[in-house]
Amino acid sequence: MTIRVVLADDQPLIRTALQMVISDAPDLEVVGEAATGLQAVQLAGELRPDVVVMDLRMPGMDGIDATRLITRGPGPAQVVVLTTFDEDDNVYGALRAGASGFLVKDMALDDILAAIRVVAAGDALIAPAVTRRLIEAFADRPGAAPAPRELEGITEREREVLTLIARGLSNSEIAADLSISVATVKAYVTRLLAKLDARDRVQLVIIAYEAGLVSPSR
């Protein structure tokens, strides 16, 4: 099954480089390119791709608004944020808008392809250590800390699982830490997604951060 990708970046060189890398993979196909957020939204609606690789800083509609519209639209595509990381203050906002993960523009090519495949499969567990670094970088910025969020309707064990997810542990690592089976961990994750109305694991990480279960020093 071929994963259909739309590239959204206002820099033609970036789009061309990504297009070349993706086209070399037998299971990936670039079906459209956008230079603005509005174009990305339009292409997502017309082409129904599996994944949109989204830059944050584009003229007109930015990547955050485009991500929000795409992920809330009919038959939504998964969105992966494309960022220079250290320069972008809005990565957190993009994840809140529904992005399932992110790519750093200077990351290894194999990692870019792997990230697209993981997100297309409906999983947002992309480089957990990098996810933590992202939230830490956001939290370090003045005024970035969100108001504490109350977690209602989850059990103490579900809270433990949520905390470990936010620390970047995989299902197998969580199972080992809590001395339970991987299948049980998956069941907890499924319940957490439903109870907390979260789109994916990245959203669970953000919820845990907002609730104070994890912090940059933990």
Side-chain angles (χ1 to χ4, degrees):
M1 182 175 179
T2 301
I3 298 170
R4 304 170 73 251
V5 181
V6 164
L7 302 175
D9 195 296
D10 62 340
Q11 298 182 44
L13 287 177
I14 296 293
R15 295 200 309 271
T16 298
L18 287 172
Q19 198 276 342
M20 293 175 63
V21 171
I22 292 172
S23 296
D24 284 340
D27 60 333
L28 302 176
E29 177 187 7
V30 175
V31 296
E33 297 184 21
T36 69
L38 180 58
Q39 289 177 358
V41 174
Q42 292 171 338
L43 287 178
E46 294 170 3
L47 302 176
R48 298 297 178 89
D50 301 299
V51 177
V52 177
V53 179
M54 180 78 70
D55 189 19
L56 289 183
R57 298 185 179 185
M58 292 181 287
M61 182 186 294
D62 63 19
I64 293 177
D65 288 337
T67 295
R68 186 176 296 110
L69 290 173
I70 290 171
T71 58
R72 294 180 182 178
Q78 304 290 340
V79 175
V80 181
V81 172
L82 181 67
T83 175
T84 52
F85 191 78
D86 291 329
E87 298 177 5
D88 284 323
D89 296 333
N90 297 319
V91 177
Y92 180 85
L95 293 175
R96 290 291 295 149
S100 295
F102 61 92
L103 302 177
V104 181
K105 289 184 178 180
D106 61 355
M107 70 191 299
L109 299 182
D110 286 345
D111 291 339
I112 291 176
L113 300 181
I116 292 173
R117 292 185 181 104
V118 168
V119 169
D123 196 348
L125 187 61
I126 305 172
V130 180
T131 301
R132 291 199 306 273
R133 181 184 166 212
L134 168 65
I135 293 179
E136 289 169 8
F138 171 82
D140 285 341
R141 293 188 171 93
R149 170 172 177 166
E150 293 294 329
L151 295 180
E152 299 179 353
I154 69 171
T155 66
E156 186 59 34
R157 178 48 64 95
E158 288 168 347
R159 183 183 293 265
E160 289 179 315
V161 172
L162 179 60
T163 301
L164 294 176
I165 290 172
R167 291 178 182 170
L169 274 66
S170 66
N171 285 348
S172 58
E173 290 170 333
I174 294 172
D177 189 272
L178 298 179
S179 299
I180 57 179
S181 70
V182 173
T184 300
V185 174
K186 290 180 178 178
Y188 278 125
V189 173
T190 299
R191 288 202 292 269
L192 284 168
L193 291 171
K195 288 184 176 182
L196 298 177
D197 193 25
R199 176 184 172 90
D200 48 42
R201 290 178 76 118
V202 168
Q203 294 289 301
L204 289 180
V205 172
I206 293 172
I207 290 170
Y209 168 68
E210 290 180 337
L213 299 184
V214 292
S215 67
S217 61
R218 291 163 58 190

